[in-house]
């Protein structure tokens, strides 16, 4: 039997190049080897939103994200693609696992400490329980392999501790999930400093037009030591070169050489990058337009995905209650 993969992402709306190279491409290729479940985690998103205005953005964001996943090649025939809250069993498991999770394990999670700093006005209980909910996502479907970025490793470590404790207390129930890091763990944004993110507005949107893509790339920061066209460049210190490399362009070595010898300027180099990205994304963009035009397609994929995984979830919950003597 194929091993099961589970991954989740918060519904951040239309996806960017960092999401694509860092996560989505990996999701797509894992479909060859594994039984994959991909989840849009709307409950998790609620840990950082309050009020109806904020929550109203969830539905369009879920739809945009699902469209990007599907256009990129997630195949609903092979993989289950669904929305977390459509299978509420996860909330039940979260409640149960929260009783076996010592508070001090949660209080030392680095992402929790970051959030406390970022949103001191909204340090809610759900934020502390975030990793318990994430553990519930994974183990509800008994997934063993979890493709994530480096920033999630601490959460997975905690997930394994929670699983070990549950298995010790109530008998072997869940497999210990293992992280699977993507080949490209971090894509830096156009500012050349921080991780590519929509929030920081240093991103390249997948669904943008080729013209928008080029205009945006022209604003990117490059090697800060190269002031004039005649100055030799330092590709290893250049964000635009890092993107050329991330795209696995065949001639990246030649490009590095030309930059070091000041044979190519930053403007030309950026134009090349825009062209490469536009060529790479052309089939994606075409397919996205086509899927967006089919009314209710996304809804039916998400519904079918939830129906499929709900059966697994219900079976796991029966086993959990049985093992605990909660019957
Ligand atoms: N915490 C993950 C993130 O911020 C999202 C997530 C929720 C997740 N549940 C998951 C990832 C389960 C992997 C498995 O990116």
């Amino acid at each position: 039997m194929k091993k099961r993969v589970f991954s989740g992402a918060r519904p951040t709306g239309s996806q960017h190049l960092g999401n694509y190279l860092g996560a989505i491409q990996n999701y797509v290729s894992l479909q060859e080897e594994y039984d994959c479940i991909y989840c849009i985690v709307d409950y998790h998103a609620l840990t950082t939103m309050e009020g109806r205005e904020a929550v109203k953005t969830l539905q369009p964001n879920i739809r945009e994200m699902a469209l990007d996943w599907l256009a990129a090649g997630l195949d609903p025939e092979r993989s289950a693609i669904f929305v977390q809250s459509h299978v509420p069993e996860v909330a039940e498991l979260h409640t149960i696992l929260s009783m076996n999770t010592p508070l001090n394990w949660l209080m030392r999670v680095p992402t929790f400490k970051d959030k406390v700093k970022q949103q001191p006005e909204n340090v809610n209980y759900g934020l502390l329980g975030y990793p318990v909910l994430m553990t519930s996502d994974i183990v509800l479907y008994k997934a063993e392999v979890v493709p994530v970025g480096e920033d999630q490793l601490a959460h997975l470590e905690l997930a394994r501790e929670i699983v070990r404790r549950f298995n010790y207390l109530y008998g072997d129930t869940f497999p210990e999930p293992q992280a699977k890091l993507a080949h490209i763990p971090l894509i830096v944004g156009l500012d050349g400093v921080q991780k590519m993110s929509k929030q920081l507005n240093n991103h390249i949107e997948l669904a943008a037009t080729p013209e928008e893509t080029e205009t945006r790339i022209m604003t990117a920061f490059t090697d800060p030591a190269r002031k004039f066209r005649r100055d030799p460049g330092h590709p290893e210190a250049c964000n635009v070169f890092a993107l050329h490399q991330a795209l696995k362009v065949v001639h990246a070595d030649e490009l590095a050489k030309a930059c070091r010898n000041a044979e190519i300027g930053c403007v030309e180099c950026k134009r090349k990058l825009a062209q490469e990205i536009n060529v790479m994304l052309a089939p994606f963009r075409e397919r996205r337009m086509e899927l967006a035009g089919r009314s209710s397609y996304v809804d039916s994929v998400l519904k079918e995905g939830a129906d499929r995984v709900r059966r697994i979830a219900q079976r796991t919950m029966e086993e959990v209650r049985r093992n605990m003597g909660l019957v």
Side-chain angles (χ1 to χ4, degrees), residues 36-95:
C36 297
I37 303 179
Y38 296 118
C39 180
I40 301 177
V41 294
D42 54 348
Y43 284 150
H44 277 108
L46 292 175
T47 59
T48 58
M49 354 177 88
E50 243 183 337
R52 212 181 279 183
E53 277 311 302
V55 175
K56 222 164 56 182
T57 62
L58 274 179
Q59 293 321 309
N61 282 348
I62 288 170
R63 187 188 145 78
E64 293 301 313
M65 190 150 124
L67 265 177
D68 282 334
W69 282 7
L70 292 164
L74 287 199
D75 174 7
E77 299 280 320
R78 286 187 284 171
S79 304
I81 303 162
F82 79 108
V83 178
Q84 186 181 33
S85 67
H86 294 182
V87 185
E89 279 77 2
V90 75
E92 183 186 359
L93 185 56
H94 169 264
T95 298

